[in-house]
Amino acid sequence: MALDSLALAPLYKSPDGNGIRLMAETSKKPAFPLKSLVPSKSKLTTIETKRILSVLDETIHKVELVSLLSFAASNNEGLEGMLGEDIMKAVRENEDLCQQLLDKVNYLQDEAMRLQEKEEFKDEGWFRDRLLSIQQQKSHLLPLRQQIKESTKNILRLLLNNPQAARLLQMQSLARSAEAQSFIDSLIELRGFLLEKLLTSPMEARDKAYFIQDVTRQNKRNQEVIDALESELAKSLKNRDAEVQKENSVIQELKNHLHQVLRFSENSLLRMKHEAEKQQKADFRASQARVAKIQQEIQQLRSQFYNLLMENREAEQALRKKKYKVETEIENWIQKYDMEMSEKQDQYEELDIIHKEEKAQLEQLKYRHNALVEEFSQIRAEQEIISKKNLEAQEEMMRMVRAATLIQAVWKGYLVRSMLRSKKRKRGKGNAKVKEKAKKGKAKGKR
């Protein structure tokens, strides 16, 4: 939700931000004043809005503290005297838990990569066993993550109880990573959006809606102008195409004229051809003399070729003998290689038998490990049930104590009220006797 709210642009952004100015008719109504888009109130007045904003401020404060825990863990010697032993101990425990989780996650990722490389063996039993063990180890990461959450909450409680330590840790803001700082900046920006939303009254929201409607209408008028301009552009493009077609017809006429010029040039080409034939005959006579000379040179080269052929035959005989020697040596090396490979094969079979035995032992150990893991999970579940029962018993005891105190208070109140009633009754009887005596005295005086 925070990222979605950060991705939204302000509602009062100008619709002509693309830099294109359109010559549209001005609206007869005056433009809506931009001052009405700014909230009239500068402070929150209701308790609910103040609580909402205080919750977000507290969240930002906690995020700032959590983003500096890694720095505090890496510089524990310099910050131990400033933050206190309890906080540094909790920070070190949290860092150890995070490191354990990171190591386990890296190990599981490496195992998953190895299984992906051997995916062609997915029908094998060992492949399924390794996949099942990885899934079980992933399920065991949930308690560790819960421990990390509880450790982080404990550190935050300690820091909030010690404001001086929290301020000293916040002073190390330069050591915060870029990702954490970006997230905090996003939260601060979200706080600004939320504050603006809380300061906006319903009347201002309605004014903003009216302003957006006016902007939409203006945009529609601008779109109509754009459509008209596009139609004009289409007409101009059509006229340009007609002009281009006319120019193409002119170019075709020029091509036809050029073809006629080529026809007229054929006569000159025929004349040049006759002259070339004459020159060819003269060259043929000269070439016959050259052919006779070349044939003599060929005879000489043939005699040289025969001499070279005899020499090459002798060299070939020597090379064949050498080849026979090399082949015999290669056969000897092959036999030696076969003997060594047979010995290596025997050694490989022995090692394979040993590997199978060790693999069987590994499967037995895995089975025992899984049984121990199940027993550990059962014991832990029983411990959680016992702790829940103890907690329920304590809550029941507290409830009974509160009920007893309430009953005692009610009883004491009842006794006090009954005593007050009895006193009021006694006073009422005394006043009645006094009034009767006064009446009798008045009657005697009249007589």
Side-chain angles (χ1 to χ4, degrees), residues 244-255:
V244 169
Q245 189 173 4
K246 289 180 182 179
E247 291 178 355
N248 288 333
S249 62
V250 173
I251 291 169
Q252 187 65 33
E253 290 177 358
L254 292 174
K255 285 182 179 180

Side-chain angles (χ1 to χ4, degrees), residues 94-138:
N94 184 38
E95 185 67 18
D96 294 337
L97 291 173
C98 292
Q99 189 63 36
Q100 290 178 11
L101 179 62
L102 185 61
D103 294 339
K104 288 183 179 180
V105 169
N106 290 332
Y107 172 74
L108 291 175
Q109 287 178 354
D110 294 338
E111 289 293 327
M113 290 294 291
R114 294 194 190 98
L115 286 179
Q116 286 181 359
E117 292 175 356
K118 298 179 181 179
E119 193 173 0
E120 63 270 10
F121 302 106
K122 62 182 178 181
D123 296 331
E124 299 291 335
W126 62 268
F127 186 88
R128 291 194 292 271
D129 292 338
R130 289 180 66 181
L131 187 61
L132 182 61
S133 66
I134 290 172
Q135 291 177 356
Q136 290 177 354
Q137 291 178 9
K138 284 182 180 179

Side-chain angles (χ1 to χ4, degrees), residues 143-301:
L144 185 58
R145 290 179 179 175
Q146 188 64 30
Q147 290 178 6
I148 293 172
K149 290 180 181 178
E150 296 296 332
S151 176
T152 306
K153 290 179 182 177
N154 186 25
I155 293 170
L156 287 175
R157 282 194 291 270
L158 293 173
L159 288 172
L160 293 176
N161 291 331
N162 190 353
Q164 185 177 3
R167 285 196 296 272
L168 291 172
L169 185 60
Q170 275 189 320
M171 290 173 65
Q172 309 296 328
S173 60
L174 295 176
R176 189 180 291 120
S177 63
E179 294 82 2
Q181 187 62 43
S182 177
F183 179 64
I184 292 169
D185 294 340
S186 300
L187 289 177
I188 294 170
E189 189 174 359
L190 175 62
R191 183 188 181 279
F193 289 142
L194 182 61
L195 180 61
E196 182 181 355
K197 186 68 177 178
L198 295 175
L199 291 173
T200 303
S201 63
M203 294 292 293
E204 292 173 348
R206 189 181 63 184
D207 294 340
K208 284 185 180 180
Y210 289 157
F211 176 73
I212 291 169
Q213 291 177 1
D214 293 338
V215 170
T216 305
R217 286 194 293 270
Q218 184 68 26
N219 191 17
K220 286 182 180 179
R221 288 195 292 271
N222 293 336
Q223 188 63 37
E224 291 175 358
V225 174
I226 290 170
D227 294 336
L229 292 174
E230 287 180 351
S231 62
E232 291 178 2
L233 179 62
K235 290 180 182 178
S236 62
L237 289 173
K238 189 174 181 180
N239 295 329
R240 190 193 66 182
D241 293 337
E243 292 177 357
V244 169
Q245 189 173 4
K246 289 180 182 179
E247 291 178 355
N248 288 333
S249 62
V250 173
I251 291 169
Q252 187 65 33
E253 290 177 358
L254 292 174
K255 285 182 179 180
N256 294 331
H257 181 69
L258 181 62
H259 184 67
Q260 292 177 359
V261 171
L262 290 173
R263 281 184 180 178
F264 290 130
S265 64
E266 286 180 358
N267 294 326
S268 61
L269 289 173
L270 288 173
R271 286 195 300 271
M272 292 175 66
K273 187 176 180 181
H274 288 303
E275 292 175 358
E277 287 177 355
K278 291 179 182 179
Q279 185 67 31
Q280 184 179 5
K281 290 179 181 179
D283 293 334
F284 177 74
R285 295 190 190 94
S287 64
Q288 285 181 350
R290 292 176 186 171
V291 167
K293 185 177 180 181
I294 289 169
Q295 285 179 353
Q296 291 178 359
E297 292 176 355
I298 288 170
Q299 292 295 330
Q300 293 177 0
L301 292 172

Side-chain angles (χ1 to χ4, degrees), residues 68-80:
L68 293 171
L69 291 181
S70 59
F71 171 75
S74 60
N75 297 276
N76 54 1
E77 294 180 357
L79 296 176
E80 187 170 3

